[in-house]
Amino acid sequence: AKFYASHALSLASTVPADVGLYFAGLQPSFDTRQLPASVGFLGQEQAAANQQQWDVLKGQLQVFTGLSFDSDVVPWLGSESAFVMRLAPGDKLEGALLLATKDQALAQASLDRAIRHMGISQNRAFDEATFGALKARVAKPVEGNPLTPVLAVTPGALVLASGPAV
């Protein structure tokens, strides 16, 4: 209760006014040093199974981005996340995940490290693009893949978007 009383949703101020869907929520810290050992995602009876699933997700993050969730993400991850959808040109839906940041420099360093990793492990190339005052990294199109990921760190959020229109 103390956590929710001391945090407010603020990511709404970072999204365009014409998004079709906006969903935001608060999450307590993922820093395991701050959680009681008995806490499971769905309660004590499911704690072991949930921990196993969580470990798999963290392993997938490491494989795809080269980032360790505990040492590369938790230090900058804030207490809010949001998801937005927007209709892009050509009636194509694009979505973005926004993760609140506590430290913009650490978030940018993690993003840069992930982009380098994806360039090597997935042969993905990224160009720099400017959206207003924001500098972002836009993946070059890959034949047969409809997504053109856009990654950026804004004041207060790391943005992972499925395309540049969102």
Side-chain angles (χ1 to χ4, degrees), residues 20-34:
L21 172 76
Y22 175 80
F23 176 77
L26 294 172
Q27 73 267 343
S29 172
F30 286 101
D31 189 341
T32 55
R33 296 169 298 181
Q34 297 177 11

Side-chain angles (χ1 to χ4, degrees), residues 75-146:
W76 60 258
L77 185 62
S79 59
E80 182 182 359
S81 57
F83 179 74
V84 298
M85 293 287 295
R86 186 177 194 190
L87 193 59
D91 293 332
K92 178 178 144 189
L93 280 177
E94 290 189 356
L97 176 65
L98 290 79
L99 302 171
T101 59
K102 297 184 287 190
D103 186 320
Q104 187 173 344
L106 286 177
Q108 186 66 56
S110 290
L111 182 62
D112 292 342
R113 195 167 33 256
I115 288 171
R116 279 192 305 275
H117 179 84
M118 288 185 285
I120 294 166
S121 67
Q122 300 170 26
N123 201 27
R124 288 302 301 250
F126 290 82
D127 289 324
E128 192 170 284
T130 303
F131 299 92
L134 177 67
K135 296 219 183 284
R137 303 295 299 269
V138 180
K140 290 184 179 182
V142 173
E143 190 174 326
N145 187 343

Side-chain angles (χ1 to χ4, degrees), residues 15-55:
V15 300
D18 64 344
V19 298
L21 172 76
Y22 175 80
F23 176 77
L26 294 172
Q27 73 267 343
S29 172
F30 286 101
D31 189 341
T32 55
R33 296 169 298 181
Q34 297 177 11
L35 297 173
S38 63
V39 173
F41 290 104
L42 298 174
Q44 178 57 29
E45 64 280 355
Q46 294 295 319
N50 290 325
Q51 185 60 50
Q52 184 179 20
Q53 290 176 335
W54 185 236
D55 290 341

